[in-house]
Amino acid sequence: MLRRQIGRKFEALRKAAGITMEDAAERLDRARATLYRIENGAETVRFRQADVEQMLNLYGASAEEAELLLAMTAATRENKNWWHDYIGSGLPRWFNLYVGLEASAATIRRYQNELVPGLLQTRAYAEQVFSMPGGAVNIAEPNDVQRAIQLRMERQAILTRFSPLQLSVILNESVLRRQVGSPEIMSEQLNQIIKAAELPNVTVKILPFSAGLHAGAMTGAFSILEFPRGKDGEVVEPTVVYIETATGAIYLDKPHEAGTHSDIWKDMEGRTLNESKSRSMMQTIAEEYGNA
């Protein structure tokens, strides 16, 4: 989030100065691609103080703006998030942004049509997922697969941390019915979801087959992440829609993109079972697996 905020501030300063990205790149003697990465909050950018000062001077930043951006960019050199140790092994670089956004989010709404969300998976269920082609994409070594699974387990701490995020999950009934691994694994997994749903900040609802056609049928799985607001209630970080693919991910943060997915969510939520009936369905199916 810090890098994304830095990027937006630099972009706003550049545009306010009436300077195109091409002109800025030429006058700063930097590649246009580098400026693009800065303004998009790329993790790979390293902010040297001299480079930051040069940009601030070119864009005509005020003393207050300069002081703030110098402090923010300095923080990127000092801070290392816990998940950075997983980059290049258990954590593909394209997923790094999502983990950072997830850790910073105030609320996440997650729709899953095929699999249990990572934040609710048991280790045994996760091991089955990562054993499938595409489940361990960009992970070559067996030890790295185990590191990726461990990362998934550690991410779940955001549900029980001090001031935890609000997680709302809609699961297609197929998530419950599709057996992943053994019946014992599925029974354990469904019971874990039921237990997680007892947390005051977690809601899980089931979209039953009987709901018929719904808006999510055309989209597949997605997450909507919303972030804490500033002291005056202003939006500090725009809502982000996250969609994962077999080889990467899509991040959508334009208002109409977030709005469209919110409308899809509302349509599905209106067709779900309530929390009590959802829990009953999960308990019934968990018992079926337990007796298999």
Side-chain angles (χ1 to χ4, degrees), residues 170-185:
I170 293 178
L171 298 179
N172 194 301
E173 185 177 344
S174 60
V175 175
L176 312 182
R177 301 287 184 185
R178 189 178 306 285
Q179 183 171 314
V180 174
S182 66
E184 290 78 14
I185 288 175

Side-chain angles (χ1 to χ4, degrees), residues 101-131:
L101 293 174
E102 179 184 76
S104 304
T107 66
I108 296 179
R109 287 176 283 169
R110 179 69 179 174
Y111 167 60
Q112 280 283 10
N113 56 337
E114 290 288 342
L115 294 171
V116 173
L119 289 178
L120 300 178
Q121 288 181 9
T122 63
R123 180 177 290 274
Y125 187 99
E127 288 172 346
Q128 294 295 316
V129 172
F130 276 95
S131 71

Side-chain angles (χ1 to χ4, degrees), residues 129-195:
V129 172
F130 276 95
S131 71
M132 294 297 294
V137 64
N138 294 338
I139 303 176
E141 300 296 329
N143 287 343
D144 289 343
V145 172
Q146 288 303 314
R147 284 170 58 80
I149 294 169
Q150 182 60 29
L151 168 65
R152 182 160 294 184
M153 298 300 101
E154 291 185 24
R155 283 170 49 212
Q156 296 175 1
I158 65 175
L159 299 179
T160 54
R161 70 188 181 191
F162 178 76
S163 187
L165 63 77
Q166 297 290 320
L167 176 66
S168 296
V169 176
I170 293 178
L171 298 179
N172 194 301
E173 185 177 344
S174 60
V175 175
L176 312 182
R177 301 287 184 185
R178 189 178 306 285
Q179 183 171 314
V180 174
S182 66
E184 290 78 14
I185 288 175
M186 287 302 298
S187 178
E188 178 192 32
Q189 177 61 80
L190 296 188
N191 281 311
Q192 169 135 324
I193 299 173
I194 294 168
K195 182 178 179 181

Side-chain angles (χ1 to χ4, degrees), residues 20 28 77 91 103 135 156 166 176 202 265 270:
T20 66
L28 293 168
R77 299 192 293 270
L91 178 62
Q156 296 175 1
Q166 297 290 320
L176 312 182
V202 177
W265 177 273

Side-chain angles (χ1 to χ4, degrees), residues 78-100:
E78 298 165 1
N79 295 338
K80 180 181 178 182
N81 292 307
W82 65 267
W83 60 85
H84 283 192
D85 289 337
Y86 291 92
I87 297 174
S89 55
L91 178 62
R93 283 197 173 275
W94 55 261
F95 190 58
N96 184 32
L97 172 58
Y98 178 77
V99 178

Side-chain angles (χ1 to χ4, degrees), residues 20-42:
T20 66
M21 191 173 287
E22 290 76 11
D23 288 341
E26 182 178 350
R27 295 165 68 176
L28 293 168
D29 194 25
R30 305 191 76 179
R32 184 183 183 280
T34 299
L35 295 185
Y36 179 83
R37 289 196 297 272
I38 288 173
E39 293 188 5
N40 282 272

